[in-house]
Amino acid sequence: MDWLGEFFGTLPEVGRALWQFARGWAGVAIVIGSIALTAACLFAAKQLRDDHGWLSAIFGIMAATIAAWWAFGILPSAWIYFADGQRDLMEDTVIPGTLGFGGNAVIAENFYQVFRDLVVMAETTIAMVAFGVVALLVQRRYPRALAEGEEARPQSGGYK
């Protein structure tokens, strides 16, 4: 049960290290600014959809780009840098260094790195699924329609 005490005893130090890694209040301001910019782009896309379709699409793509930048670039990279930089603090206290049974049956000698990479894989998978679901929901909510007075083009029936 000593490991449980070490785990909870190390968490405040890990929190302080994370606060310093994220540059404190500057990091909080960057996150809030990114959220506000994404929300502004989504609001503009919604407001401009009926009258200015292309402009609405551009604002929607700008919001998606900000979200993708965070989901597929900033968060995974920051986690790897933080986990590598704080390895001495977190290994064998917060994250096990090796994984096995007893002293002889070692399954993963480098479990810290495996865990670090599993976190990135899980976050990326969740982000990919979320982006797909959001895209499907947007397509279902706002189906593509012809402009007023525009008629559908004749269908050719395939390649000729």
Side-chain angles (χ1 to χ4, degrees):
M1 294 303 280
D2 285 341
W3 62 270
L4 194 59
E6 287 180 25
F7 175 81
F8 286 110
T10 307
L11 287 182
E13 291 178 59
V14 172
R16 281 190 291 276
L18 182 60
W19 181 256
Q20 289 174 348
F21 176 79
R23 296 178 13 198
W25 290 109
V28 171
I30 290 168
V31 170
I32 291 172
S34 292
I35 291 170
L37 187 58
T38 303
C41 288
L42 289 173
F43 179 76
K46 173 89 169 112
Q47 294 299 315
L48 296 171
R49 185 183 189 294
D50 294 331
D51 299 329
H52 306 287
W54 281 101
L55 194 55
S56 172
I58 289 170
F59 277 114
I61 290 298
M62 287 171 59
T65 301
I66 295 168
W69 192 286
W70 276 93
F72 301 118
I74 295 171
L75 292 178
S77 177
W79 165 249
I80 295 231
Y81 279 122
F82 177 73
D84 285 347
Q86 298 301 321
R87 185 173 185 156
D88 293 339
L89 175 64
M90 294 193 312
E91 189 171 25
D92 291 328
T93 54
V94 178
I95 302 169
T98 60
L99 185 64
F101 301 102
N104 299 334
V106 175
I107 296 172
E109 199 168 291
N110 61 342
F111 184 71
Y112 187 87
Q113 288 139 333
V114 170
F115 182 82
R116 179 199 69 187
D117 294 344
L118 281 173
V119 169
V120 172
M121 287 175 44
E123 187 273 332
T124 302
T125 302
I126 290 168
M128 287 172 57
V129 169
F131 270 75
V133 167
V134 168
L136 289 173
L137 291 173
V138 168
Q139 287 297 315
R140 184 171 292 146
R141 174 117 166 99
Y142 302 109
R144 184 176 175 177
L146 295 173
E148 192 173 319
E150 187 177 18
E151 293 186 27
R153 63 180 176 87
Q155 300 298 319
S156 64
Y159 293 103
K160 301 232 179 201

